[in-house]
Amino acid sequence: PGWGRSKKPLEDYSAEVWRDQALDFIEQVIQKPTVVAGNSLGGFTSLYAAAHASDREEDLIKGCVLLNAAGRFRDPDAPPDAEEKNELVEKVKEWVQRLVISASFIYTKRPARIEQVLKQVYPVNDANVDDELVESIRFPSLDPNAAEVFYRVITKNGGGAAVFVDDLLARLDNSKPLLLAWGESDPWIRPAAADKIQALYSNSRRVSIDAGHCPHDEAPEAVNRAIREFANEVHGV
């Protein structure tokens, strides 16, 4: 829930919600071994699901494809969280944060701004940045709950990750193959993120895609070929 044309109930939007939805769909609909794939936050959700699939009665995820996946890594130099927080300060921070995010939502949903951002993340081939794509992003913002859901998603997932990529990779413990189909010109999630995943997880391979943040849309032939070959290998086809 909360994304695209799906319903936008006013609930707690967490990575666990999307992880469990992915696992439930595989378990109830696909009902057989599969390879999961995701882009950006969807990539993090795919990795999260793959890492916790073994918690289910049957582990149906046999491989995972990350397309410029989002997610934070642990910072060994980060200071520890303060044990006590000032309630008044936290209330003021929340009010200011809501004001800033609400203003950002109003500005960001303008068609001209959507097109501008899309062209930043389609740096190699922006031919697909057309009116249809812009409208597919603008239309969901008209939902009455869209602004509040935007705020909840941003504050939940942007205020300090509860789950780190390092931890998910450690939980997988090289038990499942990972494919990194990475748009090497991504201005948001740079190739260094893929470098770090490869350094932490030996059971991974990488296919460099001449694209930005959305390689599956900017260079679909290359991405489809990489995923198909990976899936066939995982399934022994």
Side-chain angles (χ1 to χ4, degrees), residues 1-226:
W3 296 97
R5 294 177 180 265
S6 63
K7 293 182 179 179
K8 296 170 178 58
L10 300 181
E11 61 181 44
D12 181 25
Y13 286 90
S14 68
E16 289 72 30
V17 169
W18 298 315
R19 175 202 67 193
D20 291 344
Q21 279 193 323
L23 290 172
D24 288 345
F25 183 84
I26 294 168
E27 193 174 79
Q28 298 171 23
V29 179
I30 299 178
Q31 298 183 345
K32 60 183 180 181
T34 190
V35 171
V36 292
N39 169 240
S40 195
L41 187 54
F44 179 79
T45 299
S46 296
L47 182 62
Y48 204 175
H52 282 264
S54 59
D55 295 342
R56 300 297 177 105
E57 185 174 342
E58 183 181 3
D59 185 347
L60 292 176
I61 296 181
K62 303 306 177 187
C64 181
V65 182
L66 305 181
L67 299 106
N68 295 67
R72 299 184 185 183
F73 295 89
R74 287 192 176 277
D75 180 1
D77 299 322
D81 293 333
E83 294 184 3
E84 295 184 8
K85 294 184 179 181
N86 185 296
E87 186 175 344
L88 177 60
V89 172
E90 292 302 311
K91 285 290 184 183
V92 172
K93 285 173 61 177
E94 180 183 350
W95 181 83
V96 172
Q97 188 177 49
R98 180 174 286 277
L99 181 64
V100 170
I101 293 175
S102 297
S104 173
F105 176 76
I106 294 172
Y107 174 63
T108 303
K109 71 177 184 178
R110 295 167 58 232
R113 177 57 179 164
I114 293 173
E115 181 178 2
Q116 182 184 38
V117 172
L118 286 172
K119 287 188 175 181
Q120 291 175 1
V121 295
Y122 283 65
V124 177
N125 177 18
D126 63 5
N128 285 344
V129 181
D130 53 18
D131 292 343
E132 181 180 3
L133 180 59
V134 171
E135 180 60 17
S136 73
I137 296 173
R138 187 195 72 86
F139 181 79
S141 72
L142 303 179
D143 186 287
N145 289 342
E148 178 63 22
V149 169
F150 181 77
Y151 170 77
R152 294 187 183 194
V153 170
I154 292 294
T155 53
K156 181 67 177 181
N157 294 283
V163 179
F164 295 91
V165 172
D166 320 48
D167 298 334
L168 297 180
L169 296 175
R171 183 182 175 89
L172 279 171
D173 193 26
N174 287 306
S175 62
K176 299 175 183 178
L178 295 186
L179 170 66
L180 311 180
W182 217 266
E184 299 291 340
S185 298
D186 188 349
W188 289 354
I189 304 176
R190 298 185 180 277
D195 296 341
K196 193 158 190 176
I197 292 172
Q198 287 186 286
L200 292 169
Y201 199 83
S202 61
N203 192 11
S204 63
R205 72 182 68 173
R206 179 170 173 180
V207 176
S208 295
I209 309 294
D210 187 19
H213 185 63
C214 304
H216 55 291
D217 195 31
E218 199 173 2
E221 295 85 0
V223 171
N224 289 343
R225 182 169 55 252

